[in-house]
Amino acid sequence: MIQDASKLQTDRKALLVNSVDPISSLRDMRDSIDNIDAAIIHMLAERFRCTRLVGKLKAQNGLAPSDPGREAEQVSRLRQLAAASKLDPDFAEKFLAFVIREVIRHHESIPPGGAA
Amino acid sequence: MIQDASKLQTDRKALLVNSVDPISSLRDMRDSIDNIDAAIIHMLAERFRCTRLVGKLKAQNGLAPSDPGREAEQVSRLRQLAAASKLDPDFAEKFLAFVIREVIRHHESIPPGGAA
């Protein structure tokens, strides 16, 4: 049974890639990509809600906007998660840097005292 | 009851931001950020699984690697999703461009015929 399930999976992938109707297969894969993008956008929205609170907390307590130790931990953790899910760890690191640049841009716009 | 729930929510936020122990509050928010980042990394891994299949399909069927019409639709849709979830639509657009640059880099490494 396990072998059958595995064969079914392989057949499904072959069907998707070698279908006689590549346009329909392409449309199908794009629907999945669109669903994934919607999930990521909502996750990013929630992430910035958190980092906005962090920014206010730091400003109100005189803490530095950036924290190189924390960032090094994040890079290391995300590289490991990426490798485990077969995502290029270099891309994961670039992604984190891209998001942190935006977070720092937000934090710099909060005046000391946090009354943004 | 609804008012009570709303007040509780406000009190919780005030507690997080104005806590007497900002370090503990910061740690708490960072745990949320780490969970969100793990979710995004896994979503990105799944997205690249899809785009790799799309790349092979396009190569095998002689379709162009990039598709400006599709990209314009994606930008418009993600900007709307971003606005609805209070994420900066410009950031959502930059994020999509960042991911698509990586996808095109992957597609360019697939030889014609798709036997990568």
Side-chain angles (χ1 to χ4, degrees):
Chain A
M1 282 299 282
I2 290 172
Q3 273 192 331
D4 282 358
S6 160
K7 190 173 177 304
L8 255 180
Q9 191 81 357
T10 310
D11 288 351
R12 188 174 157 261
K13 198 175 267 183
L15 189 72
L16 277 171
V17 174
N18 302 315
S19 166
V20 284
D21 181 4
I23 299 303
S24 159
S25 297
L26 187 60
R27 198 176 303 128
D28 195 48
M29 289 183 232
R30 284 176 167 177
D31 284 347
S32 288
I33 291 168
D34 286 347
N35 282 340
I36 292 168
D37 281 347
I40 296 176
I41 288 296
H42 285 93
M43 283 283 148
L44 285 170
E46 191 56 27
R47 193 190 198 282
F48 283 109
R49 283 168 57 87
C50 290
T51 52
R52 262 193 296 272
L53 280 176
V54 167
K56 282 189 188 169
L57 184 81
K58 284 179 169 179
Q60 283 170 345
N61 290 279
L63 301 167
S66 80
D67 181 340
R70 156 80 175 155
E71 284 175 33
E73 280 171 18
Q74 284 174 292
V75 166
S76 161
R77 181 174 168 274
L78 288 199
R79 289 188 69 95
Q80 283 177 37
L81 282 172
S85 57
K86 295 180 189 156
L87 179 71
D88 176 4
D90 289 342
F91 176 75
E93 183 168 346
K94 274 191 288 179
F95 166 75
L96 183 67
F98 173 78
V99 172
I100 289 179
R101 270 199 303 280
E102 183 75 6
V103 171
I104 291 175
R105 206 175 63 77
H106 287 189
H107 285 192
E108 283 171 350
S109 68
I110 301 172
Chain B
M1 279 299 281
I2 289 172
Q3 272 192 331
D4 282 358
S6 159
K7 190 174 177 306
L8 255 180
Q9 190 80 358
T10 309
D11 287 351
R12 188 174 158 262
K13 198 174 268 185
L15 189 72
L16 277 171
V17 173
N18 303 315
S19 166
V20 284
D21 181 3
I23 300 303
S24 159
S25 297
L26 186 60
R27 197 177 303 128
D28 196 48
M29 289 183 233
R30 284 176 168 178
D31 284 346
S32 288
I33 291 168
D34 287 347
N35 282 340
I36 291 168
D37 281 347
I40 295 177
I41 288 297
H42 285 93
M43 281 284 150
L44 285 170
E46 191 57 27
R47 193 189 198 282
F48 283 109
R49 283 169 56 87
C50 291
T51 51
R52 262 193 296 273
L53 281 177
V54 167
K56 282 189 189 169
L57 184 81
K58 284 179 168 178
Q60 284 170 345
N61 291 278
L63 302 168
S66 79
D67 181 340
R70 156 82 174 154
E71 284 175 35
E73 279 171 18
Q74 284 174 292
V75 167
S76 161
R77 181 174 167 271
L78 288 199
R79 289 188 68 95
Q80 284 178 35
L81 283 172
S85 57
K86 295 179 189 157
L87 179 71
D88 177 3
D90 289 343
F91 176 75
E93 183 169 347
K94 275 192 285 180
F95 165 75
L96 183 68
F98 173 78
V99 172
I100 288 179
R101 270 200 302 280
E102 185 75 7
V103 171
I104 290 175
R105 206 175 64 75
H106 286 188
H107 285 194
E108 284 170 351
S109 68
I110 301 173

